[in-house]
Amino acid sequence: MNALPETSAARPATWPTVVVVIPFYNGADFIERSVRSVFAQSVPASEVIVVNDGSRPEERAALDGLAARYPFRILDKENGGQGSARNAGVAASTADCICFLDQDDFYLPNHIETLVSSIPPDDRLFGFVYADLYEADGDGNIVRTGVVKEHAQHPKRNILDLLRHDMFVLPSAALVSREAFEAVGGFDSQFMGFEDDDLFLRIFRKGYSNHFVDKAVTVWCIHTASTSFGIRMVRSRFKYFKKLTQMFPDEHQRGRYWFRECLVPRFQPYFVNHAIESIKNDDQYRAEMSAILAEYAAMVLANPYVGRKKKLRLRLTVFLLEHSSPALVRFIGALTRMPGIRALRRLYA
């Protein structure tokens, strides 16, 4: 899967120019695979920028060696996360359209060609086009050949769907118009996780179009070192939840209860389960996860449109978790997996 051709055809003169932006943070083990896939495209990018997001000196040095073999530009900046790095790369480029690539993922050979050729020629409010991915392990071994179309709805047509579910528009499998990207101010750099959902949601809200291609264009490599794992993702999820509550206040007059009908069903299982796992493991983040759950619960209890039963169940959950030992939480978790007692899980869901 990693053996990619080393030559590219010429870019058609009528096509928009494309920049590929790759955030880099201590990723020397993966970056060559990513860069090689960009320079093996059937239609080449106009610009390729690798943004060094404050990596260690020895990791940064790996980029110089790679740049001697592949003609990409290196942009150095202080560490600020993927969103910040992507914004810097876009700001340093001039291309009409933007493709992103995470350092541990890699493009399939027709990535740029597939996405650019899928832009409707008469779309004057073009926002982004996105496609499916292969899922793989850290070594690039394929796990499944379709990810995006198995989740959510495509293309994006309804704000209810965008709020109720993760969007599954991955930057590494998307092409974004510069006009739309700049119109919304790029990625929100406060996030180190969910910055992609936030970006594409805001582009949608601005009235720009989106188009889905039912074809894989990228290999998405998931492993324990990925940004999809870890405490930063948990913190970012809570920040995103709070931002959404501010962006979408309930509209009683119109019968739109965003908080109750979209945000609580989507996010509550995560916040409860994060707290449960931290208590079970008695890990270093136990107090922080409990604090996040407590703050979330306070927001639910303060909302006038959430039902009494849901509030009572959540209040009881928080109380039990605050007063339970790790051993007790592990015992209850095992107990509620037994037939006939599964209803007790509702206290922890």
Side-chain angles (χ1 to χ4, degrees):
M1 197 66 211
N2 297 342
L4 300 173
E6 295 296 338
T7 59
S8 298
R11 179 177 59 85
T14 58
W15 279 23
T17 53
V18 176
V19 60
V20 175
V21 176
I22 307 176
F24 176 82
Y25 179 70
N26 296 334
D29 290 342
F30 306 104
I31 189 64
E32 181 170 358
R33 181 177 65 186
S34 298
V35 168
R36 186 172 70 247
S37 75
V38 173
F39 286 95
Q41 288 296 293
S42 57
V43 173
S46 311
E47 304 172 76
V48 181
I49 300 176
V50 176
V51 183
N52 173 40
D53 192 34
S55 299
R56 296 190 301 268
E58 63 274 18
E59 294 279 334
R60 170 60 178 81
L63 292 182
D64 286 327
L66 196 58
R69 290 180 284 134
Y70 296 96
F72 62 85
R73 176 182 172 190
I74 301 173
L75 180 65
D76 292 301
K77 64 180 288 293
E78 293 183 356
N79 181 254
Q82 276 193 324
S84 172
R86 290 169 179 154
N87 286 343
V90 173
S93 69
T94 61
D96 304 316
C97 294
I98 307 150
C99 284
F100 299 102
L101 179 59
D102 290 351
Q103 64 185 15
D104 44 2
D105 300 336
F106 57 97
Y107 287 163
L108 292 173
N110 296 325
H111 180 281
I112 294 175
E113 181 179 8
T114 298
L115 294 178
V116 173
S117 64
S118 299
I119 301 174
D122 58 347
D123 188 351
R124 300 186 65 180
L125 278 175
F126 169 66
F128 60 92
V129 57
Y130 65 109
D132 215 324
L133 311 94
Y134 289 172
E135 179 187 338
D137 60 21
D139 294 327
N141 300 308
I142 303 304
V143 175
R144 53 179 170 163
T145 59
V147 178
V148 169
K149 63 186 175 186
E150 295 179 10
H151 301 85
Q153 297 179 7
H154 310 288
K156 303 306 176 183
R157 292 291 180 262
N158 192 323
I159 195 65
L160 290 171
D161 176 58
L162 275 62
L163 294 179
R164 181 63 179 83
H165 305 282
D166 289 355
M167 289 182 64
F168 275 87
V169 180
L170 280 78
S172 288
L175 178 145
V176 185
S177 79
R178 177 176 294 274
E179 177 187 333
F181 186 87
E182 293 179 347
V184 300
F187 289 98
D188 186 338
S189 58
Q190 72 168 310
F191 299 123
M192 296 186 182
F194 287 91
E195 70 275 5
D196 46 359
D197 271 29
D198 176 70
L199 174 74
F200 294 117
L201 171 65
R202 287 184 286 116
I203 291 176
F204 177 90
R205 293 272 284 170
K206 274 284 188 181
Y208 288 97
S209 67
N210 71 95
H211 308 273
F212 175 63
V213 180
D214 189 3
K215 178 181 180 180
V217 297
T218 303
V219 179
W220 183 27
C221 300
I222 304 178
H223 49 93
T224 55
S226 300
T227 55
S228 302
F229 295 85
I231 187 62
R232 293 198 307 178
M233 176 62 77
V234 177
R235 292 167 179 161
S236 201
R237 178 180 285 115
F238 190 46
K239 287 181 180 179
Y240 185 49
F241 165 77
K242 291 194 288 186
K243 180 175 181 177
L244 290 177
T245 63
Q246 295 172 354
M247 290 174 64
F248 295 91
D250 291 323
E251 300 176 73
H252 180 64
Q253 298 288 343
R254 305 177 70 181
R256 292 177 175 174
Y257 303 103
W258 310 110
F259 188 86
R260 179 187 72 195
E261 297 175 3
C262 296
L263 303 184
V264 168
R266 176 181 179 182
F267 290 97
Q268 179 165 307
Y270 289 108
F271 301 144
V272 172
N273 288 330
H274 291 325
I276 289 174
E277 291 303 311
S278 282
I279 294 171
K280 282 170 58 177
N281 299 326
D282 198 19
D283 61 30
Q284 60 182 318
Y285 302 114
R286 176 178 175 180
E288 183 178 359
M289 295 301 97
S290 296
I292 287 176
L293 178 59
E295 185 177 348
Y296 165 78
M299 295 172 70
V300 173
L301 296 175
N303 186 283
Y305 306 117
V306 176
R308 292 181 181 178
K309 289 184 178 180
K310 289 184 178 180
K311 288 182 177 179
L312 178 60
R313 185 179 297 167
L314 180 59
R315 192 191 299 270
L316 182 56
T317 298
V318 173
F319 176 83
L320 290 175
L321 291 176
E322 286 178 346
H323 296 84
S324 297
S325 66
L328 179 59
V329 172
R330 288 194 292 269
F331 173 74
I332 293 176
L335 191 65
T336 56
R337 286 193 292 270
M338 297 174 60
I341 314 180
R342 289 178 181 171
L344 291 176
R345 283 189 184 179
R346 295 175 184 172
L347 297 177
Y348 293 90

